[in-house]
Amino acid sequence: VHSRYERGLADLPMSGRRVRLVLTVRRFRCDAVTCARQIFAERFDPDVLAPWSRRTARLDHIVHHLALALGGRPAASFARRLML
């Protein structure tokens, strides 16, 4: 283990409150000489959290479908009312 850092994620609201998850992500060092990446962070299941994302996959799925159904500003105002 090389180091750790915290990563904040948005999730679906629960009981009328916004949910923010804070993950502690480990960074590793590769000692192999032929390794192209010397330092890399651990990955999570893509069905839960995509690399470099700031929201969970289930929230991203809902935001995606809102954008397709309603478009830019209407989707943004509806998402705000849904507390997304």
Side-chain angles (χ1 to χ4, degrees), residues 44-83:
F44 298 95
D45 187 8
D47 293 335
V48 176
L49 182 65
W52 303 290
S53 69
R54 294 291 174 219
R55 54 185 176 226
T56 59
R58 61 188 195 154
L59 176 61
D60 197 37
H61 182 77
I62 289 175
V63 169
H64 174 77
H65 286 288
L66 271 175
L68 288 177
L70 300 175
R73 287 188 183 161
S77 67
F78 190 60
R80 205 173 302 113
R81 280 186 270 152
L82 291 175
M83 297 176 52

Side-chain angles (χ1 to χ4, degrees), residues 2-79:
H2 177 262
S3 62
R4 290 178 173 82
Y5 69 93
E6 287 189 350
R7 185 171 168 191
L9 303 169
D11 197 15
L12 292 174
M14 183 173 67
S15 299
R17 298 183 151 255
R18 293 183 184 204
V19 174
R20 185 166 188 269
L21 304 172
V22 179
L23 296 177
T24 301
V25 181
R26 296 177 296 178
R27 297 179 74 187
F28 298 97
R29 175 174 297 189
C30 182
D31 292 334
V33 177
T34 59
C35 186
R37 295 187 103 170
Q38 295 295 317
I39 298 172
F40 56 95
E42 66 183 326
R43 297 289 174 114
F44 298 95
D45 187 8
D47 293 335
V48 176
L49 182 65
W52 303 290
S53 69
R54 294 291 174 219
R55 54 185 176 226
T56 59
R58 61 188 195 154
L59 176 61
D60 197 37
H61 182 77
I62 289 175
V63 169
H64 174 77
H65 286 288
L66 271 175
L68 288 177
L70 300 175
R73 287 188 183 161
S77 67
F78 190 60

